[in-house]
Amino acid sequence: MMKGANVPVPMPVVRIELGWQSGPGVPDADASALLLVGGKVRNDSDFVFYNQPQHSSGAVRHEGKQQGPTVLDNLWVNLGQVEPQIETIVVAASADGGTFGQFQGLYVRVLDANNGAEVARFDSTGATSETAFVLGELYRRQGTWKFRAVGQGYDSGLGGLATDYGISVDDAPTPPPAQQFTPPPAQQPAPPPQYAPPPQQQFAPPPPQYQQPAAQQFQQPPAQQYQQPPAQQFQQQYQQPPQQQFQQQQFAPPPPPGGAPVNLSKISLTKESPSVSLTKSGATGGTMRVNLNWTTTQPARGGGLFGRRSRGGNGGLDLDLCCFFELADGRIGSVRALDRSFGDLTRPPYIRLDQDDRTGASTTGENLDINLDFTAQFRRILVFSSIYEGAKDFRGVHATVTLYPLNSTPIEMTLDGCQDDSRDAVLAHIENINGELVVRREGTFIRPPAGQPGAGVMEIARIYQWDFGFKAGRGKG
């Protein structure tokens, strides 16, 4: 399409694909959408982007990135569900860490969401110092939808673009890059520097009242018991207390109130800057959502954990999002679908696996919720992922983990580059250090022990010193 041209969009559901060529020195970019009435948003909830990934009507959502030679960031739009008063949906892009003059092959495509057929494509060229672009727009004409190529650039970034359309942007300074957290002097000894993979924290043993009788102490069983187990299940070392009544929990990211400014910032954890304090970032309460999303270059196939045909996940790949936890009183356990252990937000362990994502079929990935109202009850949480089915290992898989603390900046980290047969990967370690919750990016692939191809999760428990007893699980069902 030429700039200014338009084409009909006859199908009810479309995918908007923002794409560009990856390479050294190329910044990242983010797709966004603004729903307009009379050229302006009605309120800040009409802005769909990485910090606010779904419109309240459910008609527009930000689906996230796919890495590769061509990087893709996707929006999904159900035109039949768009509210009648909405006249235009602006499709925008913003550069993260550079300008659009550094991009090659920047384009936007409109695709039929049902069959992937291309409806429209606009290639944006000639950019220089722009840091945001309106690439195109979906608009109504006489009861039908059309797409127009726009190509209008902004030097003022996503904030300037959004403000032009009536968004109230939080003008607080953008948070600095995440810094390596240096804990203050503590009573616990420092982790041994020679330990590999990732560093360990030493913890005092739990109080006597939570120790199991000698007859029930878990002993490491002989290696032959773990030959290609269908799954592992972790026995919880505590009893659930009686049900108590709690106030309704809040979840992040919540729909923004009409007058609240939109926060455009995000924190990216990398190998160079792997840690950030949740507490100092303002995450002091409410429910923090941990989201795992993924793409794969591997062809869809069966041959999963139980040799079945894949039920969901990107490209037929189904990843499980899991965690180990240790509470302040020394109790340990897991939140993991294969263990039939889905957790609880208002009772120990104050962590819960999202029920909607237990099969891996959700387009929004896998979600784990952590109740930060009980920060004092946590000692450490290890977040990891396992391949359930659809791939032999993590090679060709690109995963993105995003933490959404309530009323605080989202924290993002990526996982890719697997070079071996690992089917398990440690994503993040959350630790309570003298009352301050610190999250550290791990990004470590875990190979199973020699001769035990299904025992990667047991290897995670061994490396990170979670002393479990194991038995075969029943699958997710």
Side-chain angles (χ1 to χ4, degrees):
M1 295 177 65
M2 299 294 293
K3 187 174 179 177
N6 65 79
V7 296
V9 182
M11 60 284 305
V13 184
V14 295
R15 178 167 282 108
I16 311 295
E17 180 183 278
L18 171 68
W20 65 93
Q21 295 175 16
S22 63
V26 178
D28 195 14
D30 296 292
S32 56
L34 298 104
L35 288 72
L36 309 182
V37 178
K40 298 286 185 180
V41 298
R42 298 166 298 180
N43 53 58
D44 291 346
S45 67
D46 285 338
F47 186 23
V48 177
F49 70 118
Y50 48 80
N51 278 5
Q52 196 166 279
Q54 182 162 308
H55 190 258
S56 57
S57 67
V60 183
R61 67 172 182 251
H62 178 244
E63 292 198 320
K65 290 190 177 68
Q66 301 177 26
Q67 300 292 329
T70 298
V71 185
L72 306 178
D73 199 10
N74 298 294
L75 299 164
W76 177 92
V77 183
N78 185 337
L79 296 171
Q81 197 174 339
V82 175
E83 297 156 296
Q85 60 268 41
I86 298 296
E87 303 162 347
T88 307
I89 301 174
V90 167
V91 178
S94 55
D96 183 5
T99 70
F100 278 105
Q102 299 169 263
F103 283 74
Q104 296 290 327
L106 180 68
Y107 70 87
V108 63
R109 289 204 301 164
V110 180
L111 307 172
D112 186 330
N114 292 322
N115 57 27
E118 182 176 290
V119 180
R121 176 180 176 129
F122 172 55
D123 292 275
S124 179
T125 59
T128 55
S129 61
E130 296 89 348
T131 50
F133 259 99
V134 173
L135 294 173
E137 60 184 16
L138 293 161
Y139 65 99
R140 295 185 200 259
R141 280 293 182 272
Q142 299 178 345
T144 62
W145 285 94
K146 294 186 175 183
F147 177 80
R148 177 186 291 118
V150 177
Q152 178 185 350
Y154 289 75
D155 290 336
S156 50
L158 183 58
L161 184 155
T163 301
D164 261 11
Y165 288 101
I167 294 293
S168 174
V169 175
D170 185 353
D171 57 3
T174 300
Q179 300 294 321
Q180 176 66 46
F181 178 82
T182 303
Q187 313 241 335
Q188 300 171 359
Q194 70 274 14
Y195 179 76
Q200 302 286 322
Q201 298 291 334
Q202 301 296 322
F203 299 96
Q209 61 266 34
Y210 293 105
Q211 294 179 353
Q212 299 288 344
Q216 298 181 15
Q217 291 294 319
F218 297 117
Q219 301 295 325
Q220 182 67 25
Q224 61 266 26
Q225 286 186 249
Y226 300 113
Q227 295 296 323
Q228 302 189 20
Q232 297 85 33
Q233 183 167 352
F234 306 108
Q235 295 180 354
Q236 306 297 320
Q237 298 191 4
Y238 65 89
Q239 297 293 324
Q240 294 281 10
Q243 180 67 45
Q244 302 177 34
Q245 297 299 320
F246 291 87
Q247 293 183 348
Q248 180 67 31
Q249 297 297 316
Q250 300 182 66
F251 290 85
V262 171
N263 184 356
L264 301 181
S265 61
K266 61 179 176 180
I267 295 173
S268 295
L269 298 185
T270 64
K271 292 180 181 178
E272 295 72 26
S273 299
S275 302
V276 69
S277 168
L278 289 169
T279 305
K280 289 180 179 177
S281 299
T284 57
T287 300
M288 177 174 71
R289 171 146 290 191
V290 180
N291 172 261
L292 172 66
N293 227 313
W294 62 89
T295 60
T296 178
T297 59
Q298 299 186 35
R301 61 181 180 228
L305 203 58
F306 303 108
R308 300 179 306 172
R309 187 175 181 84
S310 174
R311 294 172 295 168
N314 190 299
L317 173 64
D318 183 357
L319 298 184
D320 278 348
L321 181 62
C322 323
C323 80
F324 295 152
F325 61 84
E326 181 177 2
L327 300 182
D329 57 25
R331 293 179 284 179
I332 64 174
S334 69
V335 176
R336 186 169 177 253
L338 285 178
D339 297 344
R340 294 294 199 275
S341 176
F342 302 110
D344 195 295
L345 276 179
T346 58
R347 297 183 296 169
Y350 313 112
I351 305 168
R352 185 183 65 191
L353 186 65
D354 190 336
Q355 297 182 16
D356 294 336
D357 296 331
R358 293 179 188 177
T359 67
S362 172
T363 58
T364 58
E366 295 260 326
N367 297 283
L368 194 71
D369 296 322
I370 302 174
N371 190 345
L372 299 186
D373 289 339
F374 294 93
T375 291
Q377 303 301 316
F378 297 122
R379 178 172 290 175
R380 56 178 181 151
I381 302 168
L382 191 71
V383 182
F384 62 94
S385 178
S386 301
I387 294 175
Y388 181 71
E389 59 185 356
K392 291 182 178 179
D393 51 55
F394 268 97
R395 281 175 282 201
V397 176
H398 176 88
T400 301
V401 183
T402 308
L403 279 59
Y404 292 100
L406 188 66
N407 300 324
S408 184
T409 304
I411 300 167
E412 184 179 274
M413 59 200 86
T414 59
L415 175 81
D416 55 17
C418 180
Q419 302 295 325
D420 54 35
D421 59 350
S422 298
R423 291 181 57 87
D424 304 276
V426 180
L427 305 173
H429 184 244
I430 302 171
E431 186 177 6
N432 189 331
I433 300 177
N434 295 338
E436 184 175 344
L437 274 187
V438 177
V439 57
R440 183 179 71 238
R441 174 190 181 272
E442 296 290 335
T444 304
F445 298 102
I446 303 296
R447 299 189 68 189
Q452 302 176 41
V457 173
M458 290 186 294
E459 186 69 1
I460 294 175
R462 183 192 68 79
I463 291 172
Y464 286 85
Q465 299 181 354
W466 256 272
D467 185 18
F468 290 110
F470 295 90
K471 61 185 180 180
R474 296 173 292 170
K476 292 196 291 188

